């Protein structure tokens, strides 16, 4: 199963990190993206395991990333975060 999550509200980041993302890992969601506006970064969670995600990256402006399921599709963090 595959999911890309765009959570961008200042008030939900902590809830997303502590509640929702562990639930996605438990349910074997392969990849989750969290737009963390307070930190101005994109968090990428991959490789779900029983205790969370094995790989967690925090990407900053100027960096690029791809969707695991679509390796030819590339985004920059700037495109996702906007202005």
């Amino acid at each position: 199963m595959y999911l890309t999550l765009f959570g961008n509200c200042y008030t939900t980041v902590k809830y997303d990190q502590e509640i929702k993302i562990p639930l996605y890992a438990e349910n074997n969601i392969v990849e989750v993206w969290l737009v963390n506006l307070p930190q101005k970064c994109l968090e990428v969670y991959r490789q779900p395991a029983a205790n969370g995600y094995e790989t967690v990256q925090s990407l900053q402006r100027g960096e690029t990333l791809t969707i695991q399921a679509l390796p030819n599709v590339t985004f920059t963090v700037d495109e996702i975060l906007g202005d």
Side-chain angles (χ1 to χ4, degrees), residues 1-3 5-6 11 14-15 18 28-29 34 36 38 42 45 48 50-51 54-56 61 77-79:
M1 193 173 220
Y2 179 81
L3 171 78
L5 167 72
F6 287 94
T11 58
K14 185 174 176 145
Y15 179 79
E18 294 178 0
N28 205 34
I29 304 301
L34 175 65
N36 186 331
L42 178 68
Y45 298 81
N51 61 342
E54 297 289 327
T55 304
V56 179
R61 290 187 178 276
V77 175
D78 298 274
E79 289 174 310

Side-chain angles (χ1 to χ4, degrees), residues 22-38:
L23 289 173
Y24 294 142
E26 286 178 21
N27 287 283
N28 205 34
I29 304 301
V30 175
E31 181 171 11
V32 177
W33 293 4
L34 175 65
V35 177
N36 186 331
L37 289 178

